[in-house]
Amino acid sequence: MKALADLVFDNRFARLGDAFSTPVLPEPLEQPRLVVASAQAMALLDLDPAEADTELFAEIFAGHKLWSDAEPRAMVYSGHQFGVYNPRLGDGRGLLLGEVVNDAGEHWDLHLKGAGQTPYSRMGDGRAVLRSSIREFLASEYLHALGIPTTRALCVTGSMTPVWRERQESGAMLLRLAPSHVRFGHFEYFYYTNQHEQLKVLGEHVLSCHFADCLSAENPWAAMFRAVVERNAALIARWQAYGFCHGVMNSDNMSILGITFDYGPYAFLDDFDAKHICNHSDDSGRYSFSNQVPIAHWNLAALAQALTPFVEVEQLRETLALFLPLYQAHHLALMRRRLGFTQAQEGDGELVERLLQLMQGGAVDYSLFFRRLGERAPAEALRQLREDFVDLAGFDQWAQDYAARTAQEGADQTARRARMHAVNPLYVLRNYLAQNAITAAEQGDYGPVRELHAVLSRPFEEQPGMQTYTERPPEWGKHLEISCSS
């Protein structure tokens, strides 16, 4: 394991030059203190977990010190925000500190959010607040624990720096990790500004660093776009299967790697509602839970437009047409697993769709339904789950069909329970749990956020003494709307 001082940097994106990013130094936070750190994320850099307890750790990730080989830069990009093109966005409060190479030869971007003003801050102060930093930290590490591709979060550093949003809050910084922070919006920026030479440089960089297996294709750009479509189909299927609402699926919040990116007012469904809107600012419901599939397709079309200088339009259209069937196949495979099926049968898609329709409008906790469905033999489990449904006759018919389908699997209940519990989490990152941890952290008590992170790091395993984290949310905690302000 390594100390902080021993990290090795290879800043490939910085070497692209000033057309792609601007050198900026972080603005330090006052009286920094570590709020929470992820030992699992630190391991990606081969960092010794004990480093989190050092004074240097908080100083570096609050902007007071830097490695000599770090090259902090603010990236420039554009993007479609709520369907409207914004020609110049960029890292307005974040900095790419540099790229660390671990002992396995993997490159990891170190990206510091809340690092102060940049040329892309527009009218903003470049800061992040404690609540949003904690929320992104928890979500990043929880989605990873669920097996959903995501950026990772190494730590949150708090401070005494005042930051004004709807009220005065305390400033914080989040250090997140990813193999790349290139977004769909990077490609859009160089396309719409007619900087096609720079667009070519960007594409060749992304190909060589992240899609090397596409370089041998007849048209590497076309092969890369197909890979991006395939990755996003798999990603969105996981979001929908596990009830995750992103909240702000702007094209500048879409990673070229097909990972969950730029957490804002996200939520996991409590009571199932396909129309759920988690973003307080989303008046039209553009980014509602049910709209995430068509919006992902829309964003991929926006990316395809930016690739037209290098790929024929008809080929882009053909590739884009693969998204929905790929999504449907991935989603059905995931839902089969959640329902305890090991074999594929023709009627499974209809069985899943009927269940979701029955859940709508009831009091069915989306996550706990699947967990409890596997707790006991089907007939007994279904009797206990029945009371949360409105259409009891419809549910009874579904339950009968599900029990018959389960009987065809031929597995005993012990094997079925183990199989279902391995994919259906007992512990869910609910907004009210995050809010409770944030409230304590804002009062200087970091114990709750650290405990919540530890519990969520093992979402499928029953953990003694953590029963409170398995309960359904109180009424006040259901369907909390979160704003974009951070």
Side-chain angles (χ1 to χ4, degrees), residues 305-377:
Q305 180 65 46
L307 302 183
T308 52
F310 303 100
V311 187
E312 292 293 333
V313 170
E314 189 56 38
Q315 188 172 9
L316 290 166
R317 286 176 177 159
E318 290 174 0
T319 301
L320 192 60
L322 299 174
F323 173 77
L324 186 57
L326 283 171
Y327 160 80
Q328 291 170 334
H330 284 300
H331 185 259
L332 180 55
L334 289 164
M335 296 304 287
R336 280 194 181 105
R337 295 181 65 199
R338 298 207 72 181
L339 290 169
F341 303 154
T342 60
Q343 306 159 10
Q345 292 194 12
E346 188 174 342
D348 290 346
E350 181 188 1
L351 195 67
V352 169
E353 187 58 34
R354 284 168 55 200
L355 173 63
L356 297 179
Q357 290 175 358
L358 287 164
M359 285 182 168
Q360 185 70 32
V364 184
D365 188 286
Y366 184 71
S367 296
L368 288 182
F369 174 86
F370 293 101
R371 183 74 181 196
R372 291 172 177 170
L373 187 61
E375 284 284 357
R376 297 173 177 81

Side-chain angles (χ1 to χ4, degrees), residues 353-424:
E353 187 58 34
R354 284 168 55 200
L355 173 63
L356 297 179
Q357 290 175 358
L358 287 164
M359 285 182 168
Q360 185 70 32
V364 184
D365 188 286
Y366 184 71
S367 296
L368 288 182
F369 174 86
F370 293 101
R371 183 74 181 196
R372 291 172 177 170
L373 187 61
E375 284 284 357
R376 297 173 177 81
E380 183 181 356
L382 290 164
R383 278 196 301 272
Q384 294 187 350
L385 292 166
R386 181 178 186 267
E387 63 187 35
D388 288 334
F389 287 81
V390 173
D391 181 0
L392 295 181
F395 177 76
D396 290 342
Q397 183 59 59
W398 184 88
Q400 180 179 329
D401 294 342
Y402 172 75
R405 173 69 176 83
T406 301
Q408 295 173 12
E409 294 285 320
D412 61 38
Q413 176 55 24
T414 301
R416 175 178 173 271
R417 183 179 188 274
R419 186 170 65 246
M420 292 183 70
H421 280 11
V423 296
N424 293 320

Side-chain angles (χ1 to χ4, degrees), residues 417-433:
R417 183 179 188 274
R419 186 170 65 246
M420 292 183 70
H421 280 11
V423 296
N424 293 320
L426 176 60
Y427 305 99
V428 181
L429 176 53
R430 302 183 186 273
N431 271 336
Y432 91 97
L433 292 174

Side-chain angles (χ1 to χ4, degrees), residues 192-404:
Y192 284 109
T193 53
N194 291 314
Q195 299 181 69
H196 290 184
E197 271 304 311
Q198 285 83 355
L199 178 62
K200 182 180 179 182
V201 171
L202 175 68
E204 290 176 347
H205 167 82
V206 171
L207 274 162
S208 63
C209 293
H210 308 294
F211 294 90
D213 55 341
C214 295
L215 290 172
S216 59
E218 181 179 351
N219 184 335
W221 287 72
M224 177 176 67
F225 182 62
R226 177 166 183 144
V228 174
V229 168
E230 291 171 348
R231 292 185 188 189
N232 275 274
L235 174 68
I236 305 302
R238 288 180 171 90
W239 285 8
Q240 301 302 113
Y242 281 95
F244 175 72
C245 311
H246 184 280
V248 195
M249 289 179 67
N250 296 330
S251 64
D252 57 291
N253 292 339
M254 300 293 289
S255 163
I256 197 65
L257 300 183
I259 61 178
T260 312
F261 196 61
D262 266 359
Y263 293 87
Y266 68 80
F268 278 86
L269 295 178
D270 293 319
D271 293 352
F272 181 81
D273 179 9
K275 299 177 182 178
H276 179 59
I277 301 169
C278 63
N279 183 350
H280 179 72
S281 305
D282 188 5
D283 296 329
S284 67
R286 177 181 175 85
Y287 298 138
S288 67
F289 178 68
S290 61
N291 274 352
Q292 293 188 137
V293 179
I295 289 297
H297 184 274
W298 193 98
N299 285 330
L300 286 164
L303 174 63
Q305 180 65 46
L307 302 183
T308 52
F310 303 100
V311 187
E312 292 293 333
V313 170
E314 189 56 38
Q315 188 172 9
L316 290 166
R317 286 176 177 159
E318 290 174 0
T319 301
L320 192 60
L322 299 174
F323 173 77
L324 186 57
L326 283 171
Y327 160 80
Q328 291 170 334
H330 284 300
H331 185 259
L332 180 55
L334 289 164
M335 296 304 287
R336 280 194 181 105
R337 295 181 65 199
R338 298 207 72 181
L339 290 169
F341 303 154
T342 60
Q343 306 159 10
Q345 292 194 12
E346 188 174 342
D348 290 346
E350 181 188 1
L351 195 67
V352 169
E353 187 58 34
R354 284 168 55 200
L355 173 63
L356 297 179
Q357 290 175 358
L358 287 164
M359 285 182 168
Q360 185 70 32
V364 184
D365 188 286
Y366 184 71
S367 296
L368 288 182
F369 174 86
F370 293 101
R371 183 74 181 196
R372 291 172 177 170
L373 187 61
E375 284 284 357
R376 297 173 177 81
E380 183 181 356
L382 290 164
R383 278 196 301 272
Q384 294 187 350
L385 292 166
R386 181 178 186 267
E387 63 187 35
D388 288 334
F389 287 81
V390 173
D391 181 0
L392 295 181
F395 177 76
D396 290 342
Q397 183 59 59
W398 184 88
Q400 180 179 329
D401 294 342
Y402 172 75

